[in-house]
Amino acid sequence: MAGVRLSGVTKRYGAGITVLDNIDLEVHDREFMVLVGPSGCGKSTVLRVLSGLEPVDAGEIRIGDRVVNDLAPRDRDIAMVFQSYALYPHLTVFENIAFGLRVRKTPKQELARLVGEAAEVLSLSDKLEKLPRHLSGGERQRVALGRAIVRKPQVFLFDEPLSNLDAKLRVQMRAEISALHKRLQITTIYVTHDQVEAMTMGERITVLNGGHIQQTDEPLTLYNTPANRFVAEFIGSPPMNLMSLTKKDGVFQYAGHPLPFTGNTGAAEPSLDTVLAGIRPEHVDVAEGGGGLPAQVVLVEPMGGETIVYLALEDGTRLVAKIDGMRRFTLGETLMVTFDHQQIHWFDPRTERRISL
Amino acid sequence: MAMGKKMTSAIVHLTLILATIVTIYPVLQVISISLRPGDSLYSTSLALIPEGATLNAYKTILFEKPFLLWMRNSLLVSITVTILGVALASTAGYAFCRYRFPGRGIGLMSFLISQMFPATMLLLPLFLLLKKVGLLDALPGLVIAYVATALPFCVWTMKGYYDSIPVDLEEAAMVDGLTQIGAFRKVTLPLSAPALMITALFSFITAWSEFMVARVIIQSLDLYTLPLGLESLAGTFQTEWANYSAGAVLVCIPVVALFLALNRYLVSGLTLGGVKG
Ligand SMILES: Nc1ncnc2c1ncn2[C@@H]1O[C@H](COP(=O)(O)OP(=O)(O)O)[C@@H](O)[C@H]1O
Ligand SMILES: [Mg+2]
C-alpha cells in the first residue's frame, strides 16, 4: 500500500513543447483519484511519467516512501490499464492475465490460483482459453483489468479505460471498477476526459488543463466551489452559464439591464469594473411573466425527469436552464429569467480565478 | 449486370490459367527431360513421361557426381545466411522502427537505394573487399556476400512489420515486469512470426539459388555450391541433359518444401496491413 506524490514534475517533448508544467499532486494511500481534463491536456503523460515509460525533465515522483524517478517501469510496482487495452494478441486470456506473474516467476500453483481468482472476480472464468480477438469489447476490458489486479500492485493507473465501450456498458463498468476499488483498496489514479465519470467515480478529482493542475478536491467541493473559470465550465453538464457584468452606479449590471440579483454583488472586489458571474443551469429559473431578464427559447431538450431549455438573451448571449419536471415550452416564446442569487459563482475576468464576496 | 460479372470472372480465370501454364510448362519440361533415357534435349514427343522413362539420371547425379558435396555446401551457406539474416534483420528493423537516432533516415534510405542497382554491379566491390579480408574462395566469404545482399530487403520487411505492432503492447509488457529487450523477445518477436518467415525464406532463397557471386568468389571444386555444380555439368562439348535436369529438380525440392511448410505464414504475412493488434 502506498500513496503517490508528484512534486514539481515537468515534462517536455523536444525543446518547445511543455506538456506538464510544474505539477504537484498528492494521492493518498488507498485513494481513488480521478484525473480529468480535455483531450491533449497531459493526462496520459502524467500516467506515463508515473509508470516510468517516460522520463521527467524536472521534479520528483514518489510511490510510497521511494523516489522512483530513476526506476524502470518494472521496478515501480504499478499496474496500468491502457486505453487500447494492449492485450497480447498471441496469448490466451489466461496467459494475458498470468503474464506479469510468469515474468516474476510465481510458482505454478499459486499462479493458477491467482489467475483463477482474478477471472472469477471479473466473470472471465469461462473465457480463459480464448484469444483476445475472439472477445467482445467489454470482455477485453475485463481482461485488461484482470492483468492489472492479479499482481496486487501498489498503484493502479487507468488511462481512459472505458472510452471504447458503448454507453450502457460504460455505466456498468464504472460501477464495477468502483466496487473493485472498494474491495482491493489499492491506490488508484484514473484518467478520463469525461466529467460524469470523474464525478461518479472519484473520491477526489484533479482537473488538468494545458499541463497545469487547475484544482484538486472532492467531487462536490469541485462542483460547488470551482477554483476558476475553467473548472467551473468543465465540471457539470450542461455546463455552467457565464455572464460578463459591468459595474454601473456602484452595482453590477448585465447589458444595461437592472439585475435580478442585487445586494450581494456590491460586495465583490471593489477594484473590479467587470466580473464574470457563473450560474449553474439548475439555478436558472424561467417564468412566463414577472421580473427578470427577457430571453427567447431557442431549443428544448425534454429528458423526462427534467427539461433542458436553451435561451438567448437580447444581445444574443446563450443561457442554459435545467428545469425540474416536464414543463412545456414553445420555441421562440419569450420568458423571464431569474437566478438563485445564493448560488452564483464569481470570477475575476482577467485572472479567471474565483473571487468571493 | 450478372453477365458483366460473369465475363469479368471468365477473363480473370482465363488469364490466371494462361499464366499458370506459362509458369508450369518449363518446370514440367525439365522434369520430363530428367526422366529421358538418352541425352536427347530435343524430342518430338510431347508426352510428359517420355517413352522408356528412367530414374537413371537421378542415380547418376546422386552417386556418380559430387552432388551431395554441393548440396552440403549449399545447405551450410544457405542456413547460415538464413540465421544471420533473421538475427540481423529482426534486430536492425526493430532499431529502425522504435528508436530515433542520428543516421536513421540515411540508413533506411541507403538500404532502399542499394536495391536499385543490379547485383552484378556489386560483384567487383564484393570481390575486392573479400580479397582484402582474405575470404576469397571460402564459404564464409560467400555467406557475408549473401547476407549483405539479402539484408536491405529483410530489414525493410521487419521494420514495416514492427511499425504495425502497437507500442502499447511493449509498454504493457514493461509495466508487467519486463525490460525493453524482454518485451521485444516475449511480445514483439512472437507477433512478428509472419515477417520473420518472409525474412527467413528470402535469405534462404537468395543464398540457395545464387550463381554469379558464387562463380566469382569460389574457385575450389570442393567448395562448389549447387548452382556452381550444376553449371559444371554443362560440359563444353557435350551436355548430359538428363543429369542436368535431374540435378535441377533435386535443387528445387528443398525450396518447394520450405514454401509449402511456411505457406500459412506467408499468406498471412502478405496481407499484414489488415491484421492489427
Ligand atoms: N511523444 C510525444 N512527442 C511530442 N508530443 C507529444 C508526445 N506525446 C504526447 N505529446 C503531446 O503532449 C500533449 C499531452 O498528451 P497526452 O498526455 O497524451 O494528453 P491526454 O492524455 O490528456 O489527451 C499533447 O498535446 C500531445 O500532442
Ligand atoms: Mg490520453
Side-chain angles (χ1 to χ4, degrees):
Chain A
M1 294 300 125
V4 172
R5 192 210 297 262
L6 306 184
S7 322
V9 166
T10 296
K11 171 72 193 170
R12 296 187 194 92
Y13 283 116
I17 321 150
T18 302
V19 179
L20 299 180
D21 192 1
N22 201 16
I23 296 277
D24 291 305
L25 175 66
E26 177 160 18
V27 185
H28 305 137
D29 186 15
R30 294 160 197 244
E31 186 174 31
F32 196 106
M33 170 68 87
V34 172
L35 204 55
V36 68
S39 172
C41 72
K43 306 179 296 287
S44 297
T45 307
V46 171
L47 296 192
R48 293 177 63 79
V49 299
L50 247 170
S51 60
L53 293 171
E54 295 282 354
V56 294
D57 292 296
E60 186 185 83
I61 304 173
R62 278 176 177 275
I63 297 177
D65 43 19
R66 293 189 304 168
V67 176
V68 298
N69 283 44
D70 297 326
L71 292 185
R74 66 178 191 284
D75 296 323
R76 297 196 181 190
D77 200 9
I78 44 156
M80 183 147 156
V81 175
F82 291 74
Q83 183 167 5
S84 63
Y85 308 152
L87 303 182
Y88 310 122
H90 59 306
L91 299 180
T92 60
V93 170
F94 183 95
E95 289 302 331
N96 261 283
I97 297 178
F99 195 88
L101 298 174
R102 280 210 198 286
V103 170
R104 286 175 171 73
K105 309 246 182 306
T106 312
K108 219 172 173 177
Q109 287 190 345
E110 193 184 345
L111 180 135
R113 182 179 62 77
L114 289 172
V115 174
E117 269 176 25
E120 183 78 43
V121 171
L122 294 163
S123 321
L124 283 171
S125 302
D126 55 341
K127 303 279 185 320
L128 286 174
E129 296 313 315
K130 293 201 171 182
L131 286 174
R133 65 168 166 275
H134 296 134
L135 300 178
S136 69
E139 286 162 354
R140 286 179 204 183
Q141 167 66 66
R142 284 165 202 277
V143 178
L145 285 176
R147 203 169 61 181
I149 66 173
V150 76
R151 268 170 37 211
K152 307 225 161 47
Q154 289 199 315
V155 181
F156 279 145
L157 305 176
F158 291 92
D159 195 353
E160 311 211 18
L162 306 185
S163 57
N164 294 333
L165 301 181
D166 62 53
K168 194 173 162 208
L169 210 50
R170 201 149 58 210
V171 173
Q172 184 191 336
M173 285 309 291
R174 220 152 72 188
E176 283 193 35
I177 291 178
S178 292
L180 212 55
H181 176 255
K182 292 225 164 49
R183 177 182 169 139
L184 299 173
Q185 296 280 308
I186 289 176
T187 314
T188 299
I189 302 179
Y190 183 103
V191 159
T192 177
H193 66 269
D194 178 354
Q195 55 93 20
V196 177
E197 224 165 276
M199 292 294 285
T200 50
M201 297 178 77
E203 286 170 353
R204 282 196 306 156
I205 297 175
T206 294
V207 182
L208 199 64
N209 188 34
H212 295 269
I213 287 187
Q214 307 290 319
Q215 188 174 2
T216 300
D217 260 313
E218 287 174 15
L220 290 183
T221 315
L222 209 62
Y223 190 82
N224 291 327
T225 52
N228 57 37
R229 174 182 179 165
F230 179 82
V231 177
E233 288 191 294
F234 191 78
I235 300 290
S237 172
M240 182 185 280
N241 298 296
L242 279 175
M243 301 166 71
S244 180
L245 306 186
T246 316
K247 186 144 71 173
K248 225 180 222 170
D249 307 328
V251 179
F252 285 108
Q253 305 200 354
Y254 178 76
H257 275 275
L259 285 172
F261 36 79
T262 51
N264 289 344
T265 51
E269 300 263 329
S271 60
L272 291 176
D273 299 331
T274 56
V275 287
L276 280 175
I279 307 126
R280 295 227 176 261
E282 60 268 34
H283 301 137
V284 177
D285 203 1
V286 293
E288 254 136 55
L293 295 171
Q296 235 184 14
V297 176
V298 182
L299 180 69
V300 182
E301 290 178 349
M303 314 285 283
E306 62 204 17
T307 306
I308 313 291
V309 189
Y310 294 83
L311 303 148
L313 295 176
E314 280 176 339
D315 67 344
T317 305
R318 294 298 178 94
L319 278 185
V320 187
K322 197 193 260 181
I323 313 291
D324 280 341
M326 286 191 277
R327 268 164 66 185
R328 292 206 171 275
F329 298 94
T330 322
L331 288 189
E333 80 175 302
T334 300
L335 299 169
M336 298 310 276
V337 177
T338 52
F339 309 111
D340 181 347
H341 70 264
Q342 301 289 345
Q343 303 285 358
I344 295 174
H345 306 267
W346 303 99
F347 302 98
D348 182 327
R350 284 165 308 181
T351 63
E352 305 205 329
R353 294 235 182 85
R354 181 183 192 84
I355 47 181
S356 49
L357 297 176
Chain B
M1 283 297 280
M3 270 306 280
K5 249 188 198 156
K6 259 190 194 153
M7 275 296 283
T8 318
S9 168
I11 290 173
V12 166
H13 279 91
L14 210 67
T15 316
L16 288 176
I17 289 168
L18 274 176
T20 311
I21 291 174
V22 169
T23 315
I24 287 188
Y25 181 76
V27 179
L28 292 179
Q29 194 65 28
V30 170
I31 295 178
S32 168
I33 294 173
S34 74
L35 296 173
R36 281 183 200 159
D39 280 343
S40 50
L41 171 58
Y42 304 103
S43 155
T44 45
S45 158
L46 284 176
L48 181 55
I49 299 180
E51 227 170 286
T54 162
L55 290 174
N56 274 344
Y58 289 90
K59 231 185 269 167
T60 314
I61 263 287
L62 281 173
F63 303 114
E64 288 164 29
K65 309 275 177 189
F67 188 84
L68 291 178
L69 176 70
W70 303 335
M71 175 78 92
R72 187 199 74 120
N73 288 340
S74 265
L75 277 177
L76 216 61
V77 169
S78 301
I79 290 175
T80 317
V81 167
T82 305
I83 292 172
L84 284 177
V86 168
L88 292 175
S90 62
T91 44
Y94 186 73
F96 278 120
C97 165
R98 292 283 195 254
Y99 296 97
R100 300 290 174 265
F101 49 88
R104 175 180 179 272
I106 290 176
L108 278 173
M109 196 45 82
S110 52
F111 274 156
L112 210 56
I113 288 172
S114 75
Q115 296 298 87
M116 287 165 37
F117 300 105
T120 34
M121 268 187 70
L122 291 173
L123 277 177
L124 187 62
L126 264 176
F127 181 84
L128 293 176
L129 278 173
L130 291 175
K131 188 177 154 90
K132 265 232 160 76
V133 294
L135 285 175
L136 273 187
D137 200 19
L139 292 183
L142 203 53
V143 166
I144 290 177
Y146 288 160
V147 170
T149 34
L151 218 45
F153 173 82
C154 296
V155 168
W156 268 93
T157 306
M158 292 309 304
K159 180 209 170 264
Y161 196 76
Y162 294 141
D163 282 345
S164 76
I165 297 178
V167 191
D168 281 8
L169 295 181
E170 280 171 35
E171 293 181 342
M174 281 160 68
V175 172
D176 263 349
L178 291 175
T179 57
Q180 173 142 25
I181 294 185
F184 170 65
R185 277 187 40 224
K186 289 263 168 65
V187 176
T188 312
L189 216 45
L191 284 173
S192 307
L196 288 171
M197 292 303 161
I198 289 185
T199 298
L201 204 61
F202 185 82
S203 307
F204 188 87
I205 290 173
T206 300
W208 186 257
S209 58
E210 204 287 332
F211 173 74
M212 288 284 264
V213 174
R215 173 84 281 175
V216 170
I217 293 177
I218 302 295
Q219 307 296 328
S220 318
L221 286 177
D222 57 353
L223 293 181
Y224 266 25
T225 56
L226 280 170
L228 290 181
L230 273 193
E231 195 249 2
S232 74
L233 289 180
T236 324
F237 302 111
Q238 185 209 10
T239 301
E240 302 154 341
W241 285 113
N243 294 348
Y244 192 81
S245 303
V249 170
L250 289 175
V251 169
C252 287
I253 288 175
V255 178
V256 172
L258 210 57
F259 256 104
L260 289 179
L262 301 183
N263 189 23
R264 193 162 60 88
Y265 297 100
L266 281 179
V267 172
S268 65
L270 294 175
T271 56
L272 285 183
V275 194
K276 246 207 140 175

